[in-house]
């Protein structure tokens, strides 16, 4: 069976400031940039011992997290020794250099991770026969936005849609326009408060006010999705997984029934407004109080804040069994469609997962992908997809939220 070919590229140059420079035939068109002759771009694919990537959303915090990479390299020549003056990377082994992982399968190259090196760790195992391992740790651009402090931000007036506000905040840290995928947004913002905070915190406040999503994709671009996407209305047909030999097979699936994601009391407060609350008494009677609280958001009116609280509770008041994760083994369990699914599925892509149980029963759920983790060695490749229900219920969004909850469709 043909398996994907992993590509690991390190760009030791300092520019361009954020974009991932590419080697011809190994980058992502319309995302990466061709480096100039002064760039030091190295393909280390042939000395990779293992790759671990984690990208995804914290379900309880309702926020996507900083993506991470652990890249372990076999160093037989002292190339990654920062004190080796004859090494090819002497004086180049510094933090914040760019690194990119892709996978080529068939005629397609899929992005897996793009980010910035934070550390190099050298280990020499006992009886390793002169083999040294250098483990490179890297993070995606969320970390850069977290490090960048801002205060007054140009072009952030009252009445601005959330997408335009995200673009203004990215402009404030000189993030390239070519590395953004920003929806226009559906919620108008108050004027930016101009307080001292990180650019990431500022963008996350806007995202929460929109009830949207903010993340860095596998190619290294900032992505902002408005609530039409977080409600699960992408329109795409689900990728179907089943463990009975039909559809796409999988290595493992984790099913769970608990109260982790139950919220039946919400308090939402915008800057300059009063707390807007919603409860679901039936859910409280069943599960006890599970509270959610957000303050200092930037929607313009208390009415929109109330809509937020009501929609949140309506989406989270009940729970049912869910599939938290599905693991695909590209070396043993999958054929062509399974490999493509493992490499191409990403955030908000719908999936239908069926697990057959003893006695002829099944567990079946249609969910969305909210996390992708890969574990790659020369002899194995496993992809774990974290799955959840949409951030906000699409029916509630389309029939009730933002002006229609008081019509009687839902009551509190």
């Amino acid at each position: 069976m043909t398996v994907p070919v992993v590509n690991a590229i390190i760009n030791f140059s300092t520019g361009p400031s954020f974009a991932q420079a590419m080697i011809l035939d190994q980058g992502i068109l319309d995302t990466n940039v061709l480096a100039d002759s002064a760039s030091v771009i190295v393909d280390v694919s042939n000395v990779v011992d293992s790759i671990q990537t984690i990208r995804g959303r914290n379900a309880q915090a309702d926020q996507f997290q900083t993506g991470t990479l652990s890249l372990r390299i076999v160093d037989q020549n002292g190339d990654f020794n920062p004190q080796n003056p004859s090494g090819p990377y002497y004086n180049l082994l510094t933090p914040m250099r760019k690194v990119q992982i892709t996978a080529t399968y068939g005629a397609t190259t899929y992005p897996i991770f793009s980010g910035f090196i934070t550390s190099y760790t050298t280990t020499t195992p006992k009886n390793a026969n002169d083999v040294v391992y250098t483990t490179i740790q890297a993070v995606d651009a969320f970390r850069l936005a977290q490090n960048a402090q801002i205060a007054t931000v140009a072009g952030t007036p009252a009445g601005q849609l959330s997408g335009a506000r995200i673009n203004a905040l990215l402009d404030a840290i000189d993030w390239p326009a070519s590395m953004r995928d920003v929806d226009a947004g559906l919620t108008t913002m108050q004027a930016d408060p101009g307080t001292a905070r990180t650019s990431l915190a500022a963008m996350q406040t806007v995202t929460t006010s929109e009830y949207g999503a903010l993340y860095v994709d596998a190619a290294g671009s900032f992505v902002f999705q408005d609530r039409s996407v977080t409600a699960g209305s992408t329109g795409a047909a689900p990728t179907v997984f089943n463990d009975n030999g039909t559809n796409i097979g999988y290595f493992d699936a984790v099913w769970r029934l608990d109260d982790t994601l139950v919220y039946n009391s919400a308090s939402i407060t915008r800057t300059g407004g009063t707390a807007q609350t919603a409860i679901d008494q039936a859910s409280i009677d069943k599960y006890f109080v599970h509270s959610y609280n957000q303050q200092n958001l930037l929607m313009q009116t208390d009415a929109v804040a109330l809509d937020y609280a009501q929609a949140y509770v309506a989406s989270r008041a009940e729970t049912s069994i869910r599939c938290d994760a599905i693991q695909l083994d590209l070396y043993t369990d999958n054929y062509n469609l399974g490999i493509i699914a493992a490499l191409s599925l990403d955030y908000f892509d719908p999936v239908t997962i069926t697990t057959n149980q003893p006695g002829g029963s099944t567990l079946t759920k249609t969910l969305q992908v909210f996390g992708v983790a890969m574990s790659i060695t020369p002899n194995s490749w496993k992809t774990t997809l974290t799955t959840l229900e949409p951030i906000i219920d699409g029916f509630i969004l389309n029939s009730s939220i933002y002006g229609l909850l008081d019509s009687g469709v839902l009551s509190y």
Side-chain angles (χ1 to χ4, degrees):
M1 179 180 70
T2 302
V3 296
V5 176
V6 68
N7 313 300
I9 308 297
I10 300 176
N11 179 5
F12 287 114
S13 61
T14 58
S17 57
F18 294 113
Q20 296 285 336
M22 72 175 183
I23 299 174
L24 283 175
D25 300 326
Q26 294 186 354
I28 310 299
L29 289 176
D30 299 322
T31 298
N32 304 139
V33 297
L34 282 171
D36 58 34
S37 58
S39 299
V40 180
I41 304 173
V42 181
D43 185 341
V44 297
S45 307
N46 64 332
V47 293
V48 169
D49 178 67
S50 67
I51 295 171
Q52 308 284 332
T53 66
I54 300 175
R55 302 172 47 246
R57 172 174 165 259
N58 183 312
Q60 291 178 284
D62 269 346
Q63 289 181 343
F64 287 91
Q65 305 296 298
T66 300
T68 62
L69 164 70
S70 179
L71 171 65
R72 191 162 90 150
I73 290 173
V74 180
D75 186 6
Q76 293 180 297
N77 302 312
D79 292 346
F80 285 85
N81 177 358
Q83 294 185 347
N84 179 8
S86 62
Y89 317 130
Y90 185 61
N91 286 334
L92 297 175
L93 296 169
T94 63
M96 291 293 109
R97 301 309 88 191
K98 294 177 279 289
V99 60
Q100 183 176 52
I101 309 297
T102 62
T104 301
Y105 182 68
T108 304
T109 297
Y110 300 89
I112 294 177
F113 181 89
S114 296
F116 302 85
I117 295 171
T118 56
S119 68
Y120 308 80
T121 302
T122 299
T123 57
T124 307
K126 185 178 180 180
N127 301 322
N129 296 322
D130 297 323
V131 173
V132 171
Y133 294 101
T134 295
T135 301
I136 293 174
Q137 303 289 345
V139 294
D140 68 20
F142 254 34
R143 170 73 173 273
L144 274 65
Q146 175 64 31
N147 289 342
Q149 291 284 326
I150 60 171
T152 303
V153 179
T156 55
Q160 185 177 48
L161 282 171
S162 55
R165 179 63 54 83
I166 292 291
N167 274 320
L169 292 168
L170 288 171
D171 289 343
I173 60 171
D174 296 324
W175 190 261
S178 62
M179 297 183 66
R180 308 179 192 181
D181 180 4
V182 178
D183 287 350
L186 300 171
T187 300
T188 54
M189 300 287 111
Q190 300 179 42
D192 184 80
T195 55
R197 72 275 198 212
T198 70
S199 61
L200 180 60
M203 289 189 286
Q204 288 175 330
T205 297
V206 174
T207 301
T208 303
S209 302
E210 166 66 33
Y211 216 145
L214 176 76
Y215 56 89
V216 174
D217 66 16
S221 294
F222 268 98
V223 180
F224 172 71
Q225 307 276 27
D226 64 28
R227 61 179 181 271
S228 67
V229 175
T230 60
S233 54
T234 63
T239 300
V240 182
F241 298 91
N242 200 313
D243 66 351
N244 66 357
T246 65
N247 308 116
I248 300 175
Y250 55 85
F251 180 77
D252 192 17
V254 179
W255 293 86
R256 181 171 285 114
L257 174 59
D258 61 22
D259 69 339
T260 302
L261 301 181
V262 170
Y263 290 97
N264 46 37
S265 175
S267 176
I268 306 298
T269 308
R270 69 185 182 95
T271 298
T274 58
Q276 302 297 304
T277 61
I279 65 169
D280 187 305
Q281 191 59 50
S283 175
I284 292 173
D285 293 341
K286 188 174 182 179
Y287 301 116
F288 303 102
V289 175
H290 290 60
S291 299
Y292 175 79
N293 183 282
Q294 288 286 350
Q295 298 180 346
N296 299 317
L297 299 185
L298 291 177
M299 61 276 289
Q300 287 192 288
T301 68
D302 282 345
V304 174
L306 178 60
D307 288 339
Y308 184 127
Q310 292 174 328
Y312 198 92
V313 168
S315 296
R316 306 297 180 91
E318 266 300 336
T319 188
S320 63
I321 194 166
R322 65 184 186 273
C323 184
D324 274 1
I326 182 172
Q327 188 176 75
L328 310 177
D329 188 334
L330 279 63
Y331 275 56
T332 61
D333 289 341
N334 288 286
Y335 46 90
N336 181 58
L337 291 178
I339 293 174
I340 293 174
L343 296 177
S344 63
L345 287 174
D346 210 340
Y347 304 153
F348 297 104
D349 288 336
V351 293
T352 298
I353 303 165
T354 298
T355 299
N356 293 271
Q357 299 287 289
S361 64
T362 61
L363 292 168
T364 300
K365 200 87 173 188
T366 297
L367 302 156
Q368 289 181 329
V369 174
F370 278 107
V372 181
M374 296 200 184
S375 178
I376 307 167
T377 73
N379 300 309
S380 67
W381 191 316
K382 288 187 171 68
T383 297
T384 300
L385 304 174
T386 303
T387 53
L388 287 166
E389 292 179 345
I391 294 174
I392 180 174
D393 185 280
F395 172 78
I396 293 168
L397 174 73
N398 293 326
S399 65
S400 305
I401 193 175
Y402 295 92
L404 297 179
L405 269 166
D406 293 332
S407 65
V409 176
L410 297 173
S411 60
Y412 294 87

